[in-house]
Amino acid sequence: FQRVELERLPPMTRDFQKILSDVCEQCYRDFAPDDVELKVREHILQDFESFLRCQVPGAKLVLFGSSKNGFGFKQSDLDICMTLEGHDTAMGLDSMAIIESLAKALRKHHGLRNILPITTAKVPIVKFYHTKTGLEGDISLYNTLALHNTQLLASYAAIDARVKILCYVMKVFSKVCDIGDASRGSLSSYAYTLMVLFFLQQRSPPVIPVLQEIYDGKQKPVVPVDGWDVYFFKDLKNLHRHWPEYKKNRESVGELWLGLLQFYTETFDFRESVICIRRKEPLSTFKKQWTSKHLAIEDPFDLSHNLGAGLSRRMASFIMKAFINARRVFGSPVRVFPPDYSNKMEYF
Ligand code: GTP
Ligand code: MG
C-alpha cells in the first residue's frame, strides 16, 4: 500500500449522507440471511452429525465462521469444525487418516456432491456441496481458535447495529470489486471484517471497545487455547460499567462508511502500522517484524498470523485502488447515485 495523491472531495451534504446510510442499510437487508435460512444451516449440521455418528464414532460438529459470527450472507459457505468425544485436542490423533475417513463417510451421504479432502492445507479439510440448498462447505478438525474468533466477532456484532451493517457493506464492496477471495491471492472476508472492527475501535469516540482489554478485577484473565490467549470480555449486558465510551459515538452508518474509506486511504499508514483489534495502543510493523509485507492484519488470537501475508505487491496496489475509487464514488455528493452500483449488487 503506497501513498498516493488523493483527489480533494467536494463538501459532503446532509442529503447525500442520508443516501449513503440508506444504501448501507439496504445492503444489509438485501444480503443478510433470515431466521429460516439460519435454521436450515443448523438443520444440515444436525443431519450431518447423526449421519456421521454411525460412520465416525464420537464425531461432534459445530458451525463457525459467518454462519455464526453475525456477518453471513444467504449464500455463504458452511464452515464446520469436527471434534471427537474424549479428545480435547487433536494431539495424538492421525488428522490425515481422520480426514480421509470423513471424506469416505460423506461420499455415502445422498444429499452431498463433490466431496474433496484437502490434506495439504494448513488446516486439513473436506470440502462438499450440499445439493438441496446449493451451499458449499467444509469440515475441518479441531479448528478451535476459529471457534473463538467466531464468538469474538459475534460479540462485536451484538454491541452496536452499525457494526453489522458496515461489515456487510465491506463484504459486498470486496466481492463487487473482486478483492475478497484469499484463495485467489486477495484477502478473505474475515480479514476485511477485522479491518472494519479496527476502524470502529480507532474512531473518536470509538463505536466499539477492545473486548480483549476489558476485564473484572485487578488482573486480566488468561484463557489458553492452542498456545494462545483467547480471553475477551463476554458479559455484554454490563459493558457500560466497564467502558466509559459506551454509546458516545452517534454517527450515521453513511458517515462511518465514508469515514472508513477515508481512514484507509488518508490516515492509516500501512507501512508503519498493523491492523490489530486486540489492543488500543498502536502496534508497529517493525515490532512484529512484518515490515516486508504490504499490508499487516494481525489475527486477534493467533498473534503470529498475518492475514495480509499472502498479498503480492500487485494485488496490494489493486486493493488500494479499489479503496481510493470507493472513497471518490461514495464521497462525491451527486444527485443520482451511480446507476451501475445497484446492478452489480444484484449478483449476490
Ligand atoms: P464468508 O465469506 O461469508 O464465508 O465469511 P467467513 O467469515 O465464514 O469466512 P471463511 O469461510 O473464509 O472463514 C471461516 C472462518 O475461519 C472465519 O470466520 C474465521 O473464524 C476463521 N479463520 C481464521 N483464520 C482465518 C484465515 O486466515 N482466513 C480465513 N478465511 N478464515 C480464517
Ligand atoms: Mg464462511
Side-chain angles (χ1 to χ4, degrees):
F1 278 49
Q2 285 166 338
R3 287 246 151 260
V4 282
E5 276 303 309
L6 292 166
E7 288 172 47
R8 203 181 273 257
L9 294 177
M12 184 48 62
T13 64
R14 279 205 156 270
D15 282 354
F16 192 69
Q17 244 170 36
K18 169 89 176 62
I19 293 176
L20 271 187
S21 290
D22 289 348
V23 168
C24 292
E25 279 159 26
Q26 186 64 38
C27 175
Y28 172 66
R29 279 194 294 274
D30 285 349
F31 296 109
D34 56 30
D35 280 354
V36 175
E37 283 157 330
L38 289 174
K39 282 208 183 93
V40 164
R41 286 170 183 262
E42 294 292 347
H43 189 82
I44 296 174
L45 190 84
Q46 291 307 318
D47 167 57
F48 279 7
E49 194 171 84
S50 36
F51 175 80
L52 276 178
R53 284 200 158 223
C54 312
Q55 326 264 336
V56 185
K60 275 190 65 175
L61 302 181
V62 192
L63 266 176
F64 69 100
S66 69
S67 313
K68 284 284 176 185
N69 66 19
F71 310 119
F73 280 57
K74 291 177 198 290
Q75 280 304 315
S76 280
D77 65 346
L78 281 155
D79 301 295
I80 299 173
C81 171
M82 183 171 107
T83 52
L84 296 176
E85 254 163 21
H87 295 267
D88 284 345
T89 67
M91 281 251 276
L93 294 172
D94 183 348
S95 299
M96 301 301 165
I98 296 171
I99 286 290
E100 294 291 354
S101 66
L102 178 61
K104 204 167 151 192
L106 290 177
R107 283 197 183 104
K108 294 184 197 152
H109 192 295
H110 294 301
L112 298 178
R113 256 195 266 149
N114 308 349
I115 308 295
L116 182 67
I118 302 180
T119 47
T120 49
K122 191 173 132 198
V123 181
I125 55 168
V126 182
K127 282 178 159 288
F128 62 81
Y129 173 79
H130 188 256
T131 334
K132 213 169 176 182
T133 55
L135 293 176
E136 293 187 341
D138 50 62
I139 303 184
S140 47
L141 272 189
Y142 288 89
N143 204 350
T144 322
L145 283 179
L147 303 183
H148 289 276
N149 68 44
T150 296
Q151 274 185 37
L152 177 69
L153 267 45
S155 300
Y156 281 120
I159 290 174
D160 191 300
R162 292 169 296 175
V163 177
K164 261 193 170 192
I165 298 174
L166 286 167
C167 287
Y168 271 87
V169 173
M170 185 71 148
K171 270 173 108 163
V172 171
F173 162 67
S174 74
K175 302 288 178 202
V176 168
C177 299
D178 214 8
I179 54 170
D181 188 346
S183 66
R184 293 199 292 126
S186 52
L187 292 171
S188 66
S189 37
Y190 176 57
Y192 286 107
T193 302
L194 296 180
M195 284 176 84
V196 176
L197 298 179
F198 178 71
F199 160 73
L200 295 175
Q201 289 174 335
Q202 299 297 320
R203 194 74 171 162
S204 180
V207 179
I208 50 170
V210 175
L211 287 175
Q212 285 164 273
E213 285 187 328
I214 298 181
Y215 48 89
D216 264 329
K218 283 211 172 89
Q219 199 155 10
K220 192 184 95 66
V222 174
V223 182
V225 166
D226 290 349
W228 300 106
D229 177 15
V230 299
Y231 170 79
F232 68 93
F233 186 78
K234 296 198 172 92
D235 183 13
L236 297 185
K237 275 201 215 93
N238 287 311
L239 183 61
H240 60 285
R241 293 186 210 281
H242 296 266
W243 185 43
E245 279 148 320
Y246 185 76
K247 289 208 188 295
K248 289 257 163 74
N249 184 304
R250 298 285 176 91
E251 289 174 278
S252 67
V253 260
E255 272 173 280
L256 288 170
W257 172 238
L258 187 57
L260 180 145
L261 296 169
Q262 287 176 324
F263 177 73
Y264 284 118
T265 50
E266 295 171 27
T267 316
F268 187 72
D269 188 339
F270 286 92
R271 214 179 296 214
E272 290 282 322
S273 311
V274 176
I275 294 168
C276 161
I277 67 156
R278 79 183 151 96
R279 63 180 219 180
K280 191 71 193 263
E281 202 192 322
L283 179 63
S284 70
T285 47
F286 180 74
K287 187 160 183 206
K288 295 290 294 190
Q289 300 193 316
W290 285 347
T291 44
S292 60
K293 303 295 172 205
H294 308 291
L295 169 61
I297 306 175
E298 187 197 55
D299 186 273
F301 299 134
D302 177 352
L303 307 188
S304 68
H305 185 33
N306 174 7
L307 284 115
L311 286 186
S312 65
R313 173 193 281 272
R314 243 175 91 109
M315 183 55 84
S317 114
F318 186 66
I319 294 174
M320 193 67 210
K321 278 181 194 151
F323 273 80
I324 291 168
N325 272 337
R327 168 191 167 276
R328 184 173 42 78
V329 170
F330 289 103
S332 307
V334 285
R335 214 166 288 150
V336 187
F337 208 78
D340 66 336
Y341 178 74
S342 59
N343 294 342
K344 278 190 183 161
M345 296 223 319
E346 279 159 20
Y347 287 121
F348 295 91

